[in-house]
Amino acid sequence: MSESPYPSSLDPSPEDSDDSESLLHFSTLSIEDRMRNGVIDVYPDVVEIFVDLNFPFDSYKDEQEAVDYKNITAMLYSTGQGNKAMKNILLSINLCPDTINLDYSLGFRSWILFSMSDYISALVDINRILRSKRGPADFVFQMNKQKTRCITEASTKLQDMTYFKHQQHRTITNPDVYNTTMYLIKLFRRKLKFRPDDIDINFNKSFRIPTIYSKNNLLPNASSKIKIARNVVKKRFVQAVTDISIGEVLIVEKPLVCMIYSNNVLTHCSHCFVRCTALIPCEVCSLMFCSEACYNEAKDRYHRFECRFFQHVEAQKLTVTIFKLIVLRLFLMATMDGTQLRNLMNDEVYGNPCSNKDFNYDEVYVPEDYFNIHNLEDNADKVTPDTWHAYSVQASFLLLCLKKMSFFDQLQAEQNENVLSELESYAGSLLLKFTLCIAVNVHEVVEYVDLPEIADKEHSVGIALYPTVRFANHSCDQNLLRFFHKNYIVVRSLRSISAGEELFDNYGTFYWNSTLKKRQSFFKKHYYFKCECIACEENWPLLTDLPFDFSVAPCLIPREEINMDQVREWAQKYSDLEPGFSNQTLAFYYMYLNFLYKTFQKPFKEQVLVRTVYNCYYHIVIFNFPQGK
Ligand SMILES: C[S@@+](CC[C@H](N)C(=O)[O-])C[C@H]1O[C@@H](n2cnc3c(N)ncnc32)[C@H](O)[C@@H]1O
């Protein structure tokens, strides 16, 4: 259950980069030479390298392949292989251009969804087909008939749900009851938006994101109990303004920019990251969305131009890391698909991407403002020559793709294939700046899959840049926990925190699962700092060597005040808990964890174990019991 916030896939080092072949060209240069060459001087060579790539501009969509997948689906479905059929029909929908064949594939999926009793998702597909108004009469007739069946079935289930709504808070330990209830609760959630003739819903929209009780006037996504402070070493950091107790919601926000991992494109919405069975395809590239609303928002915010880029690299099966894709997206958002590029270049304050602007701490922070990128930490003064080099190559790759795709044609009078214009160079420097910033500021978005066993539930969905959470520095013994709801992040206190204390995130490696030496080299290499947290200063032991005996563990309160019988009872209850999820169990973990932190001095094994399970369990309960704590 690692929390891996900053994924190793973002490792910017040359040896791990997919540009490594291109880098061979430079490996003969001495470090000094590379440093002297710096960023700008490598451009001509990089141009040479990437012009060689020379990928043709093919389309990703392939109607014939889509029809083939649909035919395979029919064969699998008729032989009772429902899951495989579902996978194939998804591929068919994903590959199909927006023609009548797409309607046929959607129609097929609605049959499969119906047979899986997922009537609402089936209705989403059917309504979409009927809206397109392009099917022949008998197909439209079949779809209308299917629609009636879906509505009838769904209405019956919806009545059952009223009962289950009242059951949500009850403890569920029996796995069968658990599974049935889970299913009905999911349906219940959908009911909140249930309108049979107008279904293009994302049922998780009814999902409750935890709220912040006392909002911060200066940091709109944060609690008034925290503020952004700064010092010379760490620059900005998050600090407690008043005492904070365990479990308080401190930050809730949407990403400024996010990107889905390619292996989730067929299972999750590429815009909001919700897991969804009835995804609809982008008309041009491989991305899929949970609803027309998400698709349109993606197009409005970043996907119009990006979509063309995706279709080409996908058609060529080029491997472009998620890291590059998010940088490109950020660039397109920042420049509004290029239309604002020249204005940005001429802007006196933001025109120079090399100078970081710090936001004014007395004014209201605007989390969704693109200009925040200019005050992200980029560590430009600490990046090693090798990393500079890798980043420059990555930025150049994107710049050349943009050039090749005629991105600059509308924006400038002069075009020259071999020489970069002033505007193009500026675009390159922005891409480089974003590459630096993204590397040390993004989080990995995870989802917890709701299976009864606790282990191996964590699933990485994508990466995202959170405008307020990114102010939190690292500690190997952090006092914050991150939770995700779709691509929203929720940050809560892991234990009580006193006024004036710094609030710490964790960048992916903890004192109990990695040695001091490994941690220090990880942070130096990826984040350019030396961790001086208490766990590093005191070199706390790994999990297996942590003290675990309650009767001798150092205490924070006089030992005679501790009711040891009660402690043993809780410890026993904790280790005996059955699989299955409920708010009561969550409340127990929460209470027990609070007790452990308040009573025993860190580091103590039970604190680590309970904290880890609590983190995982919390996600699951919140995901499946929307009224949860
Ligand atoms: C996500 S940012 C955190 C906010 C950052 N301090 C700022 O001013 O924007 C990550 C960067 O903060 C710095 N940082 C994070 N944790 C640190 C720590 N424990 N000690 C020193 N610097 C740290 C490193 O430069 C790191 O690359």
Side-chain angles (χ1 to χ4, degrees):
M1 284 187 291
S2 90
E3 293 179 35
S4 55
Y6 299 92
S8 52
S9 53
L10 296 193
D11 182 352
S13 65
E15 64 271 22
D16 296 340
S17 155
D18 59 317
D19 296 322
S20 50
E21 272 193 31
S22 325
L23 289 170
L24 289 177
H25 182 82
F26 293 98
S27 58
T28 48
L29 290 178
S30 68
I31 299 243
E32 286 76 11
D33 278 344
R34 285 189 229 172
M35 273 174 88
R36 234 177 297 118
N37 284 331
V39 183
I40 302 302
D41 288 348
V42 299
Y43 270 121
D45 297 323
V46 172
V47 169
E48 244 174 60
I49 292 167
F50 285 110
V51 163
D52 278 353
L53 273 178
N54 207 21
F55 57 82
F57 276 31
D58 284 352
S59 167
Y60 171 75
K61 300 287 174 183
D62 185 331
E63 194 158 5
Q64 187 50 51
E65 219 180 320
V67 173
D68 291 347
Y69 274 118
K70 195 191 78 192
N71 293 339
I72 298 172
T73 306
M75 189 268 292
L76 292 166
Y77 190 62
S78 64
T79 51
Q81 301 179 68
N83 282 344
K84 282 192 186 160
M86 193 64 187
K87 277 188 193 138
N88 278 273
I89 202 66
L90 260 171
L91 287 169
S92 170
I93 291 167
N94 184 260
L95 277 168
C96 202
D98 195 15
T99 64
I100 179 69
N101 273 317
L102 178 61
D103 290 358
Y104 290 149
S105 293
L106 289 171
F108 213 118
R109 183 168 68 181
S110 76
W111 282 101
I112 303 177
L113 289 168
F114 184 89
S115 70
M116 292 162 60
S117 310
D118 192 348
Y119 310 114
I120 308 287
S121 303
L123 272 168
V124 175
D125 279 346
I126 295 169
N127 284 339
R128 203 167 280 139
I129 294 163
L130 295 175
R131 272 202 304 269
S132 87
K133 293 194 170 78
R134 59 188 163 195
D138 56 340
F139 177 63
V140 173
F141 173 75
Q142 288 299 336
M143 284 296 111
N144 273 314
K145 205 166 120 192
Q146 183 70 352
K147 180 171 176 175
T148 323
R149 291 176 64 204
C150 286
I151 293 172
T152 317
E153 292 290 341
S155 314
T156 321
K157 290 283 180 207
L158 292 175
Q159 281 159 16
D160 296 344
M161 279 176 235
T162 321
Y163 166 74
F164 274 94
K165 183 189 170 201
H166 301 297
Q167 303 292 318
Q168 276 187 61
H169 293 284
R170 295 186 46 186
T171 310
I172 303 150
T173 45
N174 176 331
D176 286 332
V177 179
Y178 162 75
N179 286 333
T180 325
T181 312
M182 273 326 177
Y183 171 67
L184 287 163
I185 286 171
K186 270 187 189 157
L187 282 179
F188 172 71
R189 273 192 239 151
R190 294 169 202 180
K191 182 189 174 195
L192 302 179
K193 294 260 171 182
F194 184 73
R195 268 177 225 95
D197 287 319
D198 181 28
I199 287 188
D200 183 30
I201 52 156
N202 168 359
F203 61 81
N204 272 335
K205 287 217 169 104
S206 58
F207 182 79
R208 258 186 19 159
I209 307 279
T211 42
I212 296 169
Y213 287 114
S214 146
K215 289 250 178 177
N216 191 313
N217 292 335
L218 299 181
L219 293 168
N221 295 343
S223 150
S224 59
K225 295 193 171 182
I226 65 172
K227 68 170 189 178
I228 305 302
R230 53 180 143 184
N231 68 23
V232 183
V233 179
K234 294 179 179 169
K235 300 190 187 157
R236 281 76 48 102
F237 62 94
V238 186
Q239 194 179 34
V241 178
T242 58
D243 289 352
I244 296 171
S245 39
I246 180 174
E248 286 195 43
V249 179
L250 299 173
I251 304 174
V252 178
E253 63 187 350
K254 280 169 85 168
L256 193 61
V257 60
C258 63
M259 181 62 68
I260 195 163
Y261 283 121
S262 58
N263 60 325
N264 295 318
V265 187
L266 296 179
T267 46
H268 292 72
C269 174
S270 292
H271 182 64
C272 74
F273 287 8
V274 71
R275 189 180 269 275
C276 178
T277 27
L279 290 167
I280 54 163
C282 168
E283 286 161 21
V284 181
C285 71
S286 70
L287 295 197
M288 298 189 86
F289 301 92
C290 65
S291 62
E292 300 288 349
C294 264
Y295 184 24
N296 289 335
E297 203 175 299
K299 279 197 282 199
D300 286 349
R301 291 190 53 210
Y302 51 79
H303 193 54
R304 275 184 212 285
F305 186 88
E306 164 194 271
C307 182
R308 285 174 49 211
F309 173 79
F310 282 6
Q311 72 155 335
H312 298 318
V313 295
E314 283 151 3
Q316 301 317 306
K317 309 230 181 311
L318 285 183
T319 314
V320 180
T321 55
I322 191 169
F323 181 67
K324 284 201 198 85
L325 297 180
I326 197 170
V327 168
L328 177 71
R329 182 172 285 182
L330 195 53
F331 173 82
L332 294 171
M333 288 169 74
T335 62
M336 297 177 86
D337 278 355
T339 53
Q340 292 305 310
L341 186 59
R342 194 172 288 282
N343 286 348
L344 205 53
M345 185 171 79
N346 296 333
D347 190 302
E348 275 185 25
V349 183
Y350 295 101
N352 177 5
C354 296
S355 61
N356 284 20
K357 325 278 180 314
D358 213 350
F359 85 96
N360 187 341
Y361 295 84
D362 303 328
E363 285 174 9
V364 179
Y365 180 60
V366 185
E368 60 281 358
D369 190 344
Y370 144 74
F371 287 105
N372 291 326
I373 305 295
H374 287 271
N375 67 45
L376 285 178
E377 178 57 68
D378 60 14
N379 291 303
D381 51 339
K382 301 181 196 125
V383 171
T384 60
D386 271 356
T387 305
W388 261 120
H389 188 78
Y391 285 175
S392 310
V393 172
Q394 293 182 11
S396 309
F397 170 81
L398 292 174
L399 180 65
L400 288 163
C401 288
L402 289 173
K403 204 164 148 65
K404 218 167 137 62
M405 292 175 64
S406 314
F407 180 82
F408 298 99
D409 288 6
Q410 303 294 317
L411 312 177
Q412 61 191 11
E414 274 186 31
Q415 299 294 318
N416 186 331
E417 247 200 52
N418 301 315
V419 183
L420 293 180
S421 70
E422 192 192 1
L423 198 65
E424 288 164 348
S425 298
Y426 179 68
S429 60
L430 272 189
L431 288 164
L432 185 57
K433 161 86 183 177
F434 295 165
T435 307
L436 285 165
C437 293
I438 286 287
V440 292
N441 286 284
V442 288
H443 282 81
E444 185 159 72
V445 180
V446 294
E447 133 192 289
Y448 283 69
V449 188
D450 57 346
L451 293 171
E453 310 77 41
I454 291 281
D456 292 322
K457 287 179 183 308
E458 199 183 89
H459 174 76
S460 305
V461 185
I463 58 174
L465 174 59
Y466 293 100
T468 313
V469 182
R470 58 86 177 187
F471 286 118
N473 288 315
H474 164 89
S475 165
C476 304
D477 174 42
Q478 92 252 39
N479 49 16
L480 297 177
L481 278 184
R482 275 174 273 114
F483 301 99
F484 295 95
H485 305 272
K486 303 194 286 181
N487 63 1
Y488 277 83
I489 195 168
V490 176
V491 174
R492 302 175 81 119
S493 46
L494 167 62
R495 53 176 180 266
S496 307
I497 299 167
S498 309
E501 255 188 80
E502 179 169 356
L503 276 72
F504 289 108
D505 196 353
N506 179 284
Y507 291 5
T509 162
F510 308 95
Y511 71 84
W512 66 82
N513 69 1
S514 176
T515 61
L516 177 62
K517 197 169 163 215
K518 277 195 187 152
R519 298 201 305 272
Q520 292 291 1
S521 89
F522 176 83
F523 299 128
K524 188 168 176 230
K525 181 174 175 200
H526 296 286
Y527 298 100
Y528 315 101
F529 71 91
K530 178 173 182 299
C531 186
E532 291 176 346
C533 73
I534 179 164
C536 287
E537 295 290 284
E538 296 181 0
N539 196 3
W540 286 358
L542 293 172
L543 186 68
T544 41
D545 302 325
L546 281 176
F548 62 91
D549 189 345
F550 285 97
S551 46
V552 292
C555 299
L556 296 170
I557 54 173
R559 185 166 281 281
E560 53 281 8
E561 284 177 23
I562 305 172
N563 178 346
M564 285 314 278
D565 290 340
Q566 174 75 84
V567 175
R568 285 195 193 91
E569 194 188 307
W570 282 338
Q572 194 59 43
K573 186 172 173 191
Y574 163 71
S575 63
D576 287 350
L577 276 170
E578 297 278 322
F581 304 103
S582 71
N583 282 305
Q584 280 88 339
T585 311
L586 180 64
F588 169 72
Y589 281 146
Y590 175 83
M591 178 280 300
Y592 187 39
L593 188 61
N594 195 19
F595 165 79
L596 290 170
Y597 276 130
K598 287 203 154 145
T599 312
F600 297 100
Q601 204 174 308
K602 291 181 292 176
F604 182 45
K605 192 168 189 173
E606 190 82 346
Q607 287 165 340
V608 175
L609 297 177
V610 179
R611 163 237 175 279
T612 310
V613 172
Y614 168 75
N615 180 19
C616 179
Y617 197 92
Y618 175 90
H619 265 100
I620 295 162
V621 172
I622 283 293
F623 263 116
N624 300 296
F625 298 82
Q627 306 307 318
K629 194 167 168 40

